[in-house]
Amino acid sequence: MKLLKNTLISTLIISSVAMAQGDNLSRSSAALAELRAKEKPAETKSEPEKLFYLVDDFSQLKTVPGFTFGAPSGLVPGWGVGFAALSGVHKDSDTDGATAFGFGFGDPFESIGGAASLSIGSIDPSDGGAFNRGSFNLSLGHTFPEYGMGLAVGMSNFDIWHDSSEDELDESFYAAATKLFPNDTAPMILTAGFGNESFVDINTDDDRDSKIDPFISGAVYLHPQMSLILDYTTGITTFGTSLVPFPDYPVTVGLALTDLFKEADEDAIGFIGSLAVGFTF
């Protein structure tokens, strides 16, 4: 259960960070918006009076809904973007979570961009102490807007501090590709790749460092402010939704059921949630 919880939280934090798009980073995820708009300039809209309202297209959003829960993204941010994310998991009467802060660097459209972030867990003091582990995450990638796709490599869970051996996470390496499939009915995004350690099947006990397993995630946008996501990472199937409740603010909310087929735990299906905020500087 400890390994499952740590893996879920660490991969969820990575994807929450990926979901925290600011104006510049939304160029990445929003290659979808640009392709979806079919080169037609957005109409100027008057300032709304309500915090929550429904938009007509992606160009009216400060950010777009996320497209993965556990699988790392092939789309990376660039310089001038910061983000913060809070994620949690509840499974079999056990609740825990973590938070992450980071920033983008470089330019993924002209050369190489990426993100550096710090993940801090746990938020539950009952399992040995709050904030008793910290790790560093790094991604590098390039976006090909003409093809609507991005390629990235990254490292996650580089251990910085931990209170006990149970809280120590081994660094993991991955490669990921994300492809956009724009259309007028239900735009889609597919992410696939492979990695070791925390991306290996949760039921693997030994040699996680030398073993490499695939991950895959697909998202369909039922509305510019809502996506449905099916994710298979670490041998665990997750299904949920990502929402942008306030069009004028770069805030993304993720809600999902995880371990749907009880690959890791025969007794329970888990619930995960995330809140990600992007900003520019």
Side-chain angles (χ1 to χ4, degrees), residues 122-176:
S122 91
I123 61 173
D124 181 8
S126 67
D127 66 352
F131 311 116
N132 52 352
R133 61 182 180 271
S135 60
F136 175 71
N137 313 297
L138 180 69
S139 65
L140 297 170
H142 181 75
T143 300
F144 303 86
E146 64 274 25
Y147 301 110
M149 70 175 299
L151 301 175
V153 295
M155 174 196 68
S156 63
N157 297 335
F158 181 82
D159 187 71
I160 299 177
W161 77 83
H162 58 273
D163 283 354
S164 67
S165 59
E166 289 187 348
D167 294 314
E168 184 176 4
L169 296 174
D170 294 319
E171 62 269 18
S172 307
F173 299 91
Y174 67 85

Side-chain angles (χ1 to χ4, degrees), residues 99-115:
T99 186
F101 309 90
F103 61 90
F105 57 84
D107 187 336
F109 291 88
E110 297 297 329
S111 55
I112 299 295

